[in-house]
Amino acid sequence: MSTELLSHLDYVSGYRDKRVLAAQFVLNHPAHFEELLHLCFATEDEKSYKACWVLEQVAYSQLEWWQPHLDFFCSHLNQLNNESAIRPVAKVLQLLVENHFKKKTIQLTPKHLEQITECCFDWLISDTKVAAKCYSIRTLFVLGKSNDWIYPELQIIIEKDYPAQSAAYKAVSREILKKIK
């Protein structure tokens, strides 16, 4: 593990500017991307969730860097158990899926799509925090455009959970339910 990368992660905090600064280091030193990606799924490492925060920021600028790592990334999604790690990874999944279907610079295989779908449904039905659920709903909406079975399942889950959820969840739910009905 690179001491440079670890040093940058030491200064990462919940503040966006700290996450962006660490992401800028990775963007300026692309050789550290794979290391950062692997650290995200080293769930026993206390810096794992910070690596996920940085990974999300990298995704906004260099989503294409995921392409050669999609097998690893998608096959390890179910290992995430820290809420602080799940939220940024859920956002990255949304970005990857939207890119795959709209911009088409990311090519997801049927296996990747299956793993992402399964992970998003798992986060949606588990006791995951609201931001990850909202990103999962949006990701599943895009995936449902090419998978007939997703919308009916998504609708059932949203409607069942709607009364007990937060205002943010309800807002995203109303938006997506309008689109799928």
Side-chain angles (χ1 to χ4, degrees):
M1 186 68 56
S2 159
T3 55
E4 274 185 298
L5 178 61
L6 292 175
S7 172
H8 278 81
L9 290 175
D10 281 337
Y11 294 102
V12 170
S13 70
Y15 294 108
R16 185 177 181 278
D17 61 332
K18 301 285 188 187
R19 297 190 310 260
V20 169
L21 191 61
Q24 195 57 53
F25 167 77
V26 176
L27 291 167
N28 291 337
H29 302 89
H32 291 290
F33 176 74
E34 185 173 1
E35 188 177 7
L36 179 70
L37 187 63
H38 283 264
L39 183 57
C40 289
F41 297 102
T43 55
E44 69 287 346
D45 191 309
E46 63 186 38
K47 293 182 182 169
S48 172
Y49 71 93
K50 290 182 177 186
C52 292
W53 290 352
V54 174
L55 196 72
E56 176 190 7
Q57 296 303 312
V58 171
Y60 293 124
S61 298
Q62 292 295 337
L63 193 60
E64 291 76 19
W65 287 3
W66 266 257
Q67 190 63 57
H69 305 284
L70 285 170
D71 288 341
F72 172 81
F73 184 72
C74 292
S75 68
H76 285 80
L77 292 170
N78 60 359
Q79 292 179 2
L80 294 176
N81 53 18
N82 182 315
E83 287 291 333
S84 293
I86 291 172
R87 189 213 50 79
V89 171
K91 180 60 179 182
V92 170
L93 291 179
Q94 181 183 341
L95 295 171
L96 287 168
V97 168
E98 288 173 350
N99 181 295
H100 173 78
F101 287 103
K102 294 176 185 172
K103 292 182 182 175
K104 303 186 185 289
T105 57
I106 293 292
Q107 299 301 311
L108 297 166
T109 66
K111 180 71 172 170
H112 298 147
L113 294 169
E114 178 185 321
Q115 291 166 322
I116 292 169
T117 302
E118 180 182 322
C119 186
C120 286
F121 270 118
D122 285 348
W123 289 337
L124 197 54
I125 62 173
S126 68
D127 192 24
T128 306
K129 289 189 178 176
V130 70
K133 287 180 183 284
C134 290
Y135 293 143
S136 294
I137 289 170
R138 291 185 188 282
T139 302
L140 289 167
F141 171 72
V142 175
L143 289 165
K145 291 178 179 182
S146 62
N147 292 291
D148 293 345
W149 67 270
I150 291 179
Y151 286 171
E153 294 297 321
L154 182 58
Q155 184 174 350
I156 289 168
I157 293 167
I158 289 173
E159 289 174 347
K160 180 180 80 62
D161 292 346
Y162 187 88
Q165 290 295 334
S166 71
Y169 181 96
K170 289 177 179 181
V172 170
S173 296
R174 281 190 304 272
E175 173 193 335
I176 297 302
L177 285 173
K178 271 188 209 177
K179 292 178 180 180
I180 63 177
K181 285 187 176 182

